[in-house]
Amino acid sequence: SNLLTMRVGRRTDNVSSGSVDKKGRALASTELLDDEEQPTEPTQNRKDQGAQKKKRKKKRWSDTCLMYCCCFTCIGIIAFIAAVFVWMYLDEDEPRGLAMCGDCYCILDEDVTTCPEGKPIYDDGFVEELLQQTPLNAIAKMSCDAFDDDSCDFDPPRLELGDNAVCGIHYEDANCTKYKMKSYPNMTFAEDQGAFVTHKGECGLCSTTQDLAVYLTHTDLTTEGQKCGAQAMANFFRGKDCYQDLGFTEACARLYSDNSRKTGWNCGFACIASDLKDEDFNGDSPSCPLNDCLQCHEDITGDTFQKFAGRTRRSSGLRSAIARTCSSMADIRHVACPATAPLVE
């Protein structure tokens, strides 16, 4: 009996001390079993780790999707630029002739219901005379981008003379080799001051007789300036140099380069579509609407370009490859060396 008692005592001691049984399995300690909080801590940690793992996985997916979206967006932009650039640079369309809308050179509207008298045609000799003239007070440059900067202006600023304003030329000598330009509130006042009115609207970056000569030489600047537009999208200075090669003054060429960059970005697809469909610049008479490409140009930069250029083909009373409303075309007959009075400043 004493031997039995000793064995039972040893077994009891083993159980109470958390020893192992004869199969080698761990026996739970009575102290651990009394503590009910202990088993929940590892479980909670595993839940926290699982939640963090899910968050990290979700973030990885989010970052991956964002990366792919950025990549596809960049690829799309690059493809767009490449398509527009290639089309503008490689397209070899021939310059178009002077536009007609039905039987009239301009588009009849509510202000002009019958076709006005035809516009004169200026020969090469006339153009050569204009190119020999030197402006003494032309606006040399503009340091801002008129199409992206709302505060952009001339230095000194424009006079804001109203809708009837004109740009007058005063020649300094009888041979018309040098001249000065000045803006006037209307044609009558300009002529009373001894000026020859060279275009409607205030004098601007393209008001020189050199720029007038370019308009007379290139009746389809839309087609001929296409390569210049492509270069302007890639590099502003290359675009400017290209327009100068067409004959424009530096100030006017800069404006054309800025204009081409702006319309290239905003109207590229519309212009490619119009070209692929081989659309004319104007639709059928009697309304002769602009095609989608030219209408986009008009909507995006038309007003700004006219404001800063001063001289346009319409404001100079010149026909071009694009038919315009009759009321928008100035009634001006250009003279290479008109009689004017010197400018009194």
Side-chain angles (χ1 to χ4, degrees):
S1 64
N2 291 335
L3 182 60
L4 179 61
T5 301
M6 290 175 63
R7 289 179 176 175
V8 171
R10 289 176 183 173
R11 181 176 179 80
T12 303
D13 291 341
N14 289 339
V15 171
S16 62
S17 63
S19 180
V20 295
D21 62 9
K22 61 183 180 180
K23 294 183 179 179
R25 292 175 298 191
L27 301 175
S29 171
T30 56
E31 293 180 0
L32 292 176
L33 291 174
D34 290 337
D35 188 359
E36 296 180 356
E37 299 298 326
Q38 289 289 343
T40 63
E41 291 183 4
T43 303
Q44 185 63 40
N45 289 338
R46 286 195 297 271
K47 289 182 178 178
D48 292 342
Q49 292 173 359
Q52 292 175 2
K53 186 176 181 180
K54 288 181 179 179
K55 288 182 179 179
R56 288 195 297 270
K57 186 176 181 180
K58 184 176 181 181
K59 188 176 185 303
R60 284 197 300 269
W61 274 105
S62 177
D63 292 343
T64 302
C65 290
L66 180 61
M67 179 184 70
Y68 278 114
C69 286
C70 290
C71 288
F72 283 125
T73 301
C74 291
I75 291 172
I77 293 174
I78 293 172
F80 167 73
I81 296 173
V84 173
F85 183 83
V86 170
W87 167 75
M88 293 179 71
Y89 197 80
L90 298 181
D91 192 40
E92 295 291 346
D93 289 343
E94 290 294 324
R96 309 189 189 195
L98 295 174
M100 294 288 291
C101 182
D103 296 328
C104 189
Y105 66 86
C106 57
I107 305 170
L108 301 178
D109 54 22
E110 58 183 13
D111 295 321
V112 181
T113 57
T114 58
C115 190
E117 180 185 352
K119 297 292 185 182
I121 302 298
Y122 303 95
D123 59 22
D124 293 342
F126 184 92
V127 172
E128 189 60 33
E129 286 189 65
L130 294 178
L131 293 175
Q132 301 305 313
Q133 300 172 1
T134 303
L136 300 179
N137 65 340
I139 301 171
K141 61 181 179 179
M142 189 169 64
S143 59
C144 51
D145 184 346
F147 302 99
D148 284 334
D149 183 358
D150 293 337
S151 63
C152 186
D153 205 344
F154 298 143
D155 184 20
R158 296 173 73 253
L159 299 175
E160 303 292 348
L161 296 177
D163 295 337
N164 294 320
V166 297
C167 180
I169 287 180
H170 295 265
Y171 287 97
E172 297 291 301
D173 56 73
N175 295 324
C176 300
T177 58
K178 298 178 181 179
Y179 64 93
K180 293 181 179 179
M181 299 179 292
K182 184 176 180 178
S183 298
Y184 291 97
N186 56 65
M187 184 174 290
T188 301
F189 185 69
E191 291 175 344
D192 289 344
Q193 299 301 308
F196 177 80
V197 174
T198 188
H199 66 74
K200 288 174 60 177
E202 294 181 43
C203 301
L205 299 175
C206 302
S207 293
T208 69
T209 56
Q210 178 180 334
D211 297 311
L212 172 59
V214 176
Y215 284 148
L216 294 175
T217 305
H218 304 278
T219 57
D220 182 9
L221 280 170
T222 303
T223 300
E224 295 183 78
Q226 197 164 272
K227 284 184 172 59
C228 296
Q231 294 185 46
M233 288 185 67
N235 182 287
F236 163 78
F237 293 102
R238 289 181 62 186
K240 178 181 72 68
D241 291 344
C242 180
Y243 280 113
Q244 280 190 264
D245 289 341
L246 288 177
F248 286 114
T249 57
E250 181 179 358
C252 188
R254 178 190 176 100
L255 187 69
Y256 263 96
S257 185
D258 283 335
N259 178 76
S260 295
R261 177 190 51 77
K262 186 74 171 181
T263 54
W265 276 106
N266 290 274
C267 306
F269 280 142
C271 292
I272 292 175
S274 293
D275 190 66
L276 291 176
K277 291 185 287 186
D278 198 26
E279 292 181 341
D280 291 330
F281 291 155
N282 295 91
D284 296 332
S285 61
S287 61
C288 297
L290 297 175
N291 66 27
D292 291 341
C293 174
L294 294 180
Q295 188 60 58
C296 181
H297 284 216
E298 196 75 11
D299 295 339
I300 296 296
T301 63
D303 291 340
T304 302
F305 183 84
Q306 291 180 45
K307 173 182 176 181
F308 286 93
R311 183 190 301 286
T312 64
R313 286 162 291 190
R314 278 174 283 174
S315 70
S316 302
L318 302 177
R319 295 178 60 187
S320 72
I322 304 171
R324 302 290 188 175
T325 57
C326 299
S327 59
S328 69
M329 298 187 69
D331 184 16
I332 295 176
R333 301 294 192 273
H334 293 280
V335 180
C337 187
T340 65
L343 178 64
V344 178
E345 299 183 274

